[in-house]
Amino acid sequence: MNIAVCIKQTPDTAIRVKVADDGKSIVQDGIQWVINPYDEFAVEEALQLTEKHGGEVTIVSLGPAGIEKTIREALAMGAHKAIRIDADHIPDDPSVTAKALVEVLKNGNYDLIFLGRQAVDDDHHQMASLVSQALGLPCVTVVVKLEIDGGKGTALREVEGGYEKVAFALPAVIGANRHLNTPRYRSLKGIMQAKKKTIEVLPATLAAPKLVVEKLTPPPAKKEGKIFKNGAADAAEVARLLRDEAKVI
Amino acid sequence: MATILVVSEVQDGKMKSVSTEVFTAAVKMAGETGNSVTALFVGNGLDGLADSAGKFGVADVVLAEGTSLAKFSPDAYAAAIAEVAKQKDAAVILMSATYTGKDLLARTAQILDTGLAQDCISYRAEGGKLYFTRPVYAGKLLAEVRVDAAPVMATFRPKSFKPAESPVAVKAEKLSLDLPAPKAVLEEMQLSGGGKMDVTEADMIVSGGRGMKGPENWGILEELAEVLGAATGCSRPVSDDGWRPHEEHIGQTGRTVSPTLYVACGISGAIQHLAGMSSSKFIVAINKDEEAPIFKAADYGIVGDVFEVLPALTAEIRKLKQD
């Protein structure tokens, strides 16, 4: 199988983010960059499929040269090669990124294209839908279980209140959710091998954005809560506050 | 007059209640922008649902049908939404930011070559433009965004608007659409056990963390949930260890929730968990460690043993409810 996995470099979820002076972006200093957590499930699923059916996994990511460190993380998991679509920044508007990805993906003759459900930085939750629609391919998002049998696939998709079992034919686009699998650790051997793997660099033309960020702000500060320290003896007072002050019961 | 097209979400033949929140937001937005509102139901045989839009102030209803829409298919349904948007000259397209809403409107935005503001919690109309506020970095920051193309598209996070009933008579129009054959098709819907309420749709949530010590102790938590009429949630370690089903996992890589009341039991409050629930209106925390970060997010906190405090709180709330 010939599989592409689109990944994005995002800040580690454990860090606090601060708004930069321009009021529209975040302070980059001191950020620990990682593969977007949902994309790790995408990489793992692609690797498992090629281990079972043969074939190759190509990592595709858009951004400046600095993201190659993150691309090598995916190569260290076992992906075979990578393409970096060269752009001086990662666009705020997912439709701009989608267009640039599609320009590359349409030439790859891929049986499957994986993406994470959403990136944990701007949380757009659009990329798999946009890419599939532009390529005219079937797509299932928020996938927690995937079965591929010859030219056909079945995916279990998480929805509020249950799951949808969705059937499609290959080639197809899959948006990976948490619980699809357990991403493997990078072995020392994998990390060493990743250093020798090829990252092809292709130029990108970024379109004008249709979604514009006007400003970024921290959420409004919360007023200090009432914290009681006498254990169960305070339960009556908190219940009273929930009724009389919060008016929720 | 241009129209605001609200796409209703139908699951298993029923309209999801979150759609009523978007009807309410659209009616308000229409008043501010001088547009009309059109509710759209996609799928065959949904005539019976038209009145549910009228109940929330939307008189114009479009029922989109077609052979490609016999079964749910995200690509065919998105094609239907785009087609209706063109026919009705929609200036704005709105839907609830459920998994399905987010998927369908992203596809529609691609077809219509426009931009989409996803998972918004509020909007404002100013100078003929719409500005949307959406949490980013799982709510650690808020972004104000604008769609610089037409139509303007947005999804609204469940629980961001309170549905307001204002019944009007419905004028339903049936459109038969000739669409391409569906590519991905729903084979089977598997509803979660007992039709339990999803955490994203719940008005109150009682949530447990590692401090609950094991799945066998969830009884005391479920008891409070029952008294309140709340759904149950959990932290990531709890779902990772299989103590609770993963659809209950609340946090940056799980569900993001904004209920009226969130009760955190034995949850320390890792930044990823706080990201998933800090937009709750009222937060109650019970934890034995008074330094736990959850107390910084809490409106009311009790430092103490969850196995003593939680049953006591349940008993006190039950008492107040019986008064």
Side-chain angles (χ1 to χ4, degrees):
Chain A
M1 297 190 93
N2 187 20
I3 304 179
V5 185
C6 301
I7 67 166
K8 183 179 187 184
Q9 172 177 286
T10 57
D12 187 296
T13 56
I15 65 134
R16 288 182 191 283
V17 282
K18 283 195 235 76
V19 181
D21 289 340
D22 69 356
K24 295 180 178 187
S25 60
I26 61 159
V27 176
Q28 307 262 323
D29 293 349
I31 286 187
Q32 165 104 29
W33 297 100
V34 297
I35 304 179
N36 173 42
Y38 290 108
D39 300 348
E40 286 194 72
F41 302 107
V43 174
E44 177 62 35
E45 197 68 11
L47 291 174
Q48 288 185 16
L49 282 168
T50 52
E51 281 157 8
K52 198 166 152 195
H53 302 285
E56 271 192 340
V57 176
T58 305
I59 302 297
V60 180
S61 193
L62 180 146
I67 68 164
E68 290 194 5
K69 188 173 162 283
T70 299
I71 293 176
R72 297 233 181 255
E73 293 279 312
L75 293 171
M77 287 174 74
H80 301 81
K81 55 187 180 162
I83 298 170
R84 178 173 68 82
I85 306 173
D86 186 42
D88 62 354
H89 69 286
I90 302 176
D92 288 330
D93 178 359
S95 78
V96 175
T97 307
K99 269 206 176 68
L101 289 175
V102 165
E103 282 306 307
V104 168
L105 293 168
K106 70 180 185 190
N107 302 321
N109 199 24
Y110 299 110
D111 300 303
L112 279 168
I113 297 167
F114 283 94
L115 301 94
R117 166 184 122 180
Q118 73 194 79
V120 296
D121 49 6
D122 48 26
D123 287 321
H124 286 301
H125 206 303
Q126 297 193 34
M127 203 56 73
S129 311
L130 294 174
V131 163
S132 69
Q133 205 66 42
L135 290 168
L137 296 179
C139 168
V140 190
T141 58
V142 212
V143 171
V144 293
K145 195 173 171 205
L146 180 67
E147 279 165 32
I148 302 294
D149 185 11
K152 287 186 177 156
T154 312
L156 203 60
R157 171 176 189 262
E158 187 173 336
V159 291
E160 294 79 3
Y163 295 90
E164 291 176 351
K165 193 173 162 193
V166 183
F168 56 90
L170 269 48
V173 178
I174 300 293
N177 196 18
R178 197 179 169 78
H179 300 285
L180 177 60
N181 50 48
T182 307
R184 64 195 64 188
Y185 287 103
R186 286 63 138 173
S187 66
L188 186 60
K189 190 175 157 211
I191 294 167
M192 297 310 287
Q193 283 171 343
K195 290 182 179 164
K196 292 180 208 129
K197 290 177 183 169
T198 315
I199 301 178
E200 185 185 358
V201 180
L202 296 176
T205 322
L206 300 183
K210 299 190 187 77
L211 182 74
V212 181
V213 177
E214 296 283 348
K215 62 177 182 201
L216 277 185
T217 49
K222 197 159 178 139
K223 76 174 203 298
E224 207 168 310
K226 295 177 178 163
I227 311 300
F228 302 90
K229 297 182 179 172
N230 301 314
D234 291 321
E237 177 60 6
V238 169
R240 190 193 66 77
L241 285 166
L242 285 173
R243 185 186 63 179
D244 299 342
E245 195 176 73
K247 298 185 172 30
V248 295
I249 54 173
Chain B
M1 186 157 63
T3 198
I4 299 170
L5 187 66
V6 181
V7 186
S8 322
E9 186 173 345
V10 178
Q11 195 179 70
D12 218 30
K14 295 184 199 75
M15 187 180 80
K16 299 208 84 174
S17 65
V18 287
S19 299
T20 62
E21 300 167 12
V22 190
F23 290 148
T24 301
V27 168
K28 179 170 169 278
M29 189 186 281
E32 294 159 350
T33 56
N35 290 312
S36 65
V37 182
T38 306
L40 170 62
F41 291 84
V42 181
N44 299 344
L46 298 178
D47 307 33
L49 297 180
D51 283 337
S52 47
K55 200 171 156 191
F56 292 87
V58 183
D60 293 314
V61 174
V62 171
L63 301 158
E65 300 193 336
T67 47
S68 296
L69 305 172
K71 286 182 175 177
F72 177 70
S73 158
D75 43 275
Y77 274 50
I81 297 167
E83 183 54 35
V84 173
K86 280 185 216 159
Q87 288 193 21
K88 293 289 161 190
D89 191 25
V92 180
I93 307 177
L94 303 174
M95 195 169 179
S96 193
T98 58
Y99 287 134
T100 294
K102 290 194 246 190
D103 185 22
L104 288 180
L105 285 212
R107 292 165 187 262
T108 307
Q110 171 67 34
I111 299 169
L112 297 174
D113 196 22
T114 186
L116 166 64
Q118 198 87 286
D119 205 21
C120 304
I121 54 170
S122 64
Y123 78 90
R124 65 188 172 91
E126 195 185 295
K129 287 181 179 145
L130 289 168
Y131 297 85
F132 297 92
T133 299
R134 51 185 306 271
V136 291
Y137 298 89
K140 291 172 196 166
L141 296 176
L142 297 176
E144 186 172 70
V145 300
R146 184 170 57 79
V147 174
D148 197 8
V152 170
M153 295 184 62
T155 58
F156 284 124
R157 176 177 291 188
K159 297 283 158 204
S160 298
F161 295 90
K162 214 180 174 69
E165 290 191 20
S166 57
V168 290
V170 160
K171 294 187 300 273
E173 176 189 3
K174 206 171 267 195
L175 290 178
S176 180
L177 303 178
D178 189 17
L179 302 165
K183 296 185 179 95
V185 178
L186 176 66
E187 272 197 339
E188 186 191 335
M189 179 73 209
Q190 305 172 356
L191 295 173
S192 297
K196 234 173 49 179
M197 190 190 288
D198 192 79
V199 285
T200 55
E201 293 166 11
D203 196 42
M204 297 192 189
I205 298 170
V206 183
S207 196
R210 270 267 170 76
M212 293 298 294
K213 295 206 166 85
E216 66 280 8
N217 297 325
W218 242 254
I220 55 168
L221 199 147
E222 282 164 342
E223 208 172 315
L224 176 58
E226 201 189 311
V227 170
L228 289 170
T232 56
C234 69
S235 67
R236 190 179 90 179
V238 163
S239 107
D240 278 356
D241 288 352
W243 294 2
R244 299 296 299 172
H246 64 76
E247 59 266 24
E248 290 192 4
H249 163 202
I250 291 160
Q252 185 157 13
T253 54
R255 300 296 180 89
T256 307
V257 297
S258 319
T260 305
L261 177 65
Y262 189 90
V263 185
C265 310
I267 293 176
S268 64
I271 189 167
Q272 295 94 333
H273 187 77
L274 296 178
M277 47 62 82
S278 54
S279 60
S280 306
K281 202 149 175 240
F282 290 98
I283 296 169
V284 174
I286 303 170
N287 203 292
K288 66 177 190 313
D289 175 12
E290 67 173 284
E291 300 296 322
I294 191 75
F295 286 123
K296 292 258 188 300
D299 297 278
Y300 309 117
I302 302 180
V303 181
D305 182 350
V306 69
F307 296 103
E308 291 170 12
V309 177
L310 184 52
L313 185 63
T314 306
E316 293 295 340
I317 291 175
R318 188 180 277 133
K319 232 192 285 176
L320 293 183
K321 287 201 132 186
Q322 281 163 354
D323 279 352

